[in-house]
Amino acid sequence: MDVDALRKQAALHAKPPGLAFHYGTAGFRMRAEHLDHVMFRMGLLAALRSKQTGAAIGVMVTASHNPEEDNGVKLVDPLGEMLAPAWEEHATRLANAEDPDLPRALLRIVEEAAVEPARDAVVLIGRDTRPSSEQLAQAAREGVAALGGRLHDYGLLTTPQLHYMVRCRNTDGRYGKPTLDGYYRKLSSAFAELTKQASRSGDERASVKVDCANGIGALKLREMEPHVSPGLAVQLFNDGTKGKLNHLCGADFVKTHQKPPHGLEMKPNERCCSLDGDADRIVYYYLDAAGAFRLLDGDKMAVLMSTFLQELLAEVGESFSVGVVQTAYANGNSTRFLEEVMKVPVYCTKTGVKHLHHKAQEFDVGVYFEANGHGTALFSEAAEVKIKQLAESEDRKGKAAKVLANLIDLFNQTAGDAISDMLVIEAILALKGLTVQQWDALYADLPNRQVKVKVADRTVISTTDAERRAVTPPGLQEAIDSLVSGYRLSRAFVRPSGTEDVVRVYAEADSQESADSLAHAVSLAVFELAGGIGERPQPGFTR
């Protein structure tokens, strides 16, 4: 490491004074103008991680569903998974090191992580469509180059596509070809095999309207459209030609506000969906015959996918372990349906997709989704090998195994992928002959409400039991238990935000009025016991 040269380059990417940085589940994410030094240093860190693992590492420049003025960066580990927790700590320390201390901070990582500095490094870079992304990607490239790393710049990609490229590269193509064409062909060929088995009359094709959040998903879906058009008609809205990224549109807007995005005209019973800004989340929705808005979020998708997989696995007749992984935000009726009706084991983890992903890896077939629409299904290597062996047979078991084998290829097993998940859902609906209304009717969501309470210090709240019970401050959980006991089919929990001094409150009950009342009562308890600031929470909510 040439310390003098590194100091000179670091001076071109100076750390702004007075700001603290933390690498979390979403990587680093904030206003774009504060991120230049972070990007340079994450290029350095990606090169070190590559030298340590001997594998290609990904750098994705995106802020997902955040406003267009924000940006961020996340690193992708060798099998397409999120960055290892120990390296999240390295990332945080490196981003916060003062400029003169940068060489020392790098050497500390080299020593603690047993990095071989002379080893080759390979880094794959992708970025979303934000105006700031190209300049910030350049800072990351300079960081990689400063440590002699080799770069493969994919340019504009969805976040899940970069995860896919990293895994393909590090498995010598066994997972797929590390190119956009390879990604499109793998998913579209599996989709074609599945949909050609669906019973449809004549030239009838399924149709879906897609809100692309004015983001990268529009570009990539347009590129993919010719590959899937024989089985699916896709109409793109909020495609980036007008309107700002994530402004009044996208999966997060639709989920939060429980209403259609701006820029998408809906007719009753039309199937619609929204991606988020980097296309790793998706939610479905429609207007019923009475014109009421109906949302099918991550819980509904987990139920559809896991029940279909369960049916296929039963036909195959192999004793694979199956699990569905949710967070505390999963609707209680989705959990009850899976456990009591479908007899599928359900597990709850802390919020953050990395926690769900790791838990899902414990099963032969693991389906995980956050309620926000971020999720996928994972298949163990042993299960995949066995299923593809069985698929060679022409009997009933073989036919079910063929469907499973194509689903394995259609899921992006590296990360939640809105494009992949959309194709999985459309394939299942076609194979089952289900309308969006019939899918929605599998179970009814319990009414729920989420609110935020401003506090002086969010760290006064600590939780246990996958964030479902509060440990501190004293008396808060007892107050919540007492309040919950006053409502039917009810539950409530609180958890500190990971990014701001607010406490998030979730409540559900047998009616919307009861859910709203419970959420307000719990928010008052938080305000009083956890140091609330500003105005006391008021009853009444607006979506």
Side-chain angles (χ1 to χ4, degrees):
M1 183 188 303
D2 186 333
V3 173
D4 290 336
L6 182 61
R7 282 206 172 103
K8 287 178 182 177
Q9 283 191 285
L12 300 174
H13 303 280
K15 177 180 176 290
L19 289 175
F21 303 86
H22 176 74
Y23 192 106
T25 298
F28 293 109
R29 195 178 291 181
M30 61 176 58
R31 297 281 293 191
E33 61 263 30
H34 300 316
L35 282 167
D36 180 77
H37 88 287
V38 170
M39 295 295 177
F40 175 72
R41 295 176 187 204
M42 289 308 99
L44 296 171
L45 191 72
L48 289 183
R49 180 65 166 154
S50 181
K51 289 172 183 286
Q52 189 223 26
T53 60
I57 297 297
V59 175
M60 184 67 202
V61 180
T62 184
S64 188
H65 57 276
N66 279 39
E68 190 173 274
E69 297 77 18
D70 290 352
N71 217 318
V73 59
K74 51 180 98 169
L75 270 59
V76 180
D77 256 0
L79 290 181
E81 67 270 56
M82 300 177 85
L83 187 63
W87 282 76
E88 290 184 5
E89 295 176 19
H90 294 322
T92 297
R93 286 208 309 265
L94 194 61
N96 287 298
E98 296 303 324
D99 292 340
D101 297 330
L102 184 59
R104 189 181 306 119
L106 287 170
L107 286 171
R108 180 178 172 185
I109 296 170
V110 168
E111 291 170 1
E112 290 184 359
V115 175
E116 297 181 28
R119 205 175 198 178
D120 289 340
V122 178
V123 177
L124 315 182
I125 293 184
R127 69 181 193 276
D128 70 11
T129 55
R130 293 165 194 272
S132 60
S133 287
E134 168 52 28
Q135 183 178 345
L136 292 174
Q138 179 57 27
R141 293 183 203 111
E142 291 173 19
V144 174
L147 292 183
R150 288 189 290 123
L151 277 162
H152 187 114
D153 189 351
Y154 281 97
L156 293 168
L157 283 183
T158 71
T159 295
Q161 285 175 338
L162 183 68
H163 284 256
Y164 168 91
M165 303 303 174
V166 171
R167 183 160 179 169
C168 290
R169 177 72 179 254
N170 290 324
T171 55
D172 297 323
R174 292 191 303 278
Y175 187 68
K177 293 182 179 178
T179 64
L180 270 172
D181 187 63
Y183 171 90
Y184 296 142
R185 289 186 183 277
K186 180 181 180 182
L187 268 62
S188 61
S189 61
F191 181 72
E193 285 297 315
L194 289 165
T195 53
K196 75 181 183 183
Q197 299 175 46
S199 55
R200 290 200 185 100
S201 57
D203 295 327
E204 182 186 357
R205 283 189 304 168
S207 176
V208 62
K209 290 183 171 180
V210 185
D211 157 34
C212 299
N214 290 315
I216 183 66
L219 299 181
K220 299 308 167 184
L221 265 177
R222 189 161 282 122
E223 290 173 3
M224 192 171 191
E225 201 172 352
H227 295 274
V228 299
S229 58
L232 180 66
V234 178
Q235 296 175 266
L236 304 186
F237 297 84
N238 296 320
D239 63 356
T241 55
K242 57 183 178 180
K244 289 178 67 175
L245 177 69
N246 294 322
H247 181 60
L248 302 177
C249 60
D252 192 60
F253 174 86
V254 172
K255 170 69 175 169
T256 302
H257 295 276
Q258 303 273 310
K259 64 181 182 181
H262 288 224
L264 191 154
E265 292 284 331
M266 294 178 66
K267 297 176 183 176
N269 299 324
E270 279 187 327
R271 193 151 69 238
C272 305
C273 63
S274 285
L275 321 183
D276 70 339
D278 66 338
D280 63 1
R281 293 185 189 182
I282 184 170
V283 294
Y284 269 71
Y285 46 92
Y286 68 100
L287 296 178
D288 66 18
F293 179 81
R294 301 286 301 173
L295 177 70
L296 295 93
D297 61 8
D299 298 337
K300 291 279 186 178
M301 289 186 279
V303 165
L304 180 71
M305 293 175 187
S306 58
T307 53
F308 187 61
L309 289 169
Q310 180 91 324
E311 291 169 8
L312 291 170
L313 291 167
E315 287 188 48
V316 167
E318 295 291 321
S319 56
F320 294 120
S321 61
V322 180
V324 176
V325 189
Q326 299 180 323
T327 72
Y329 288 107
N331 194 276
N333 273 358
S334 72
T335 308
R336 289 188 190 93
F337 179 82
L338 287 166
E339 290 182 330
E340 297 172 13
V341 179
M342 297 308 302
K343 309 299 182 186
V344 178
V346 180
Y347 302 84
C348 186
T349 71
K350 291 171 63 176
T351 304
V353 72
K354 64 182 178 183
H355 301 297
L356 291 94
H357 191 94
H358 290 153
K359 185 64 180 178
Q361 288 176 317
E362 297 178 10
F363 308 99
D364 290 318
V365 181
V367 177
Y368 72 82
F369 268 89
E370 291 191 299
N372 61 27
H374 194 167
T376 188
L378 308 180
F379 300 83
S380 70
E381 186 176 347
E384 185 170 338
V385 168
K386 184 64 177 178
I387 287 166
K388 291 188 174 179
Q389 285 176 346
L390 292 168
E392 296 173 7
S393 169
E394 293 300 323
D395 59 11
R396 182 180 172 184
K397 286 185 179 182
K399 289 179 180 177
K402 282 187 181 73
V403 175
L404 277 170
N406 282 306
L407 282 171
I408 288 172
D409 286 341
L410 190 51
F411 277 109
N412 185 344
Q413 296 185 58
T414 65
D417 182 339
I419 294 174
S420 163
D421 289 339
M422 181 187 77
L423 294 176
V424 169
I425 289 164
E426 293 298 330
I428 293 173
L429 294 179
L431 287 164
K432 296 285 290 180
L434 292 176
T435 64
V436 67
Q437 303 93 317
Q438 290 169 322
W439 168 22
D440 190 22
L442 289 175
Y443 73 91
D445 277 328
L446 279 172
N448 57 84
R449 177 65 67 193
Q450 296 184 46
V451 296
K452 295 191 292 187
V453 181
K454 289 185 178 180
V455 293
D457 178 9
R458 67 183 183 273
T459 64
V460 301
I461 294 215
S462 61
T463 62
T464 188
D465 188 24
E467 302 177 312
R468 290 176 289 189
R469 295 189 66 79
V471 176
T472 59
L476 178 57
Q477 187 58 52
E478 290 78 5
I480 294 171
D481 290 342
S482 176
L483 291 166
V484 166
S485 68
Y487 299 87
R488 291 187 65 251
L489 297 177
S490 62
R491 68 184 181 99
F493 67 90
V494 302
R495 57 179 289 270
S497 166
T499 56
E500 53 184 325
D501 278 323
V502 300
V503 176
R504 303 188 187 280
V505 175
Y506 177 89
E508 64 184 25
D510 63 336
S511 71
Q512 191 63 58
E513 182 182 7
S514 292
D516 289 348
S517 175
L518 178 57
H520 177 244
V522 172
S523 66
L524 282 174
V526 170
F527 189 87
E528 292 165 2
L529 295 170
I533 58 175
E535 293 185 8
R536 288 168 58 85
Q538 299 297 312
F541 301 90
T542 55
R543 290 200 180 276

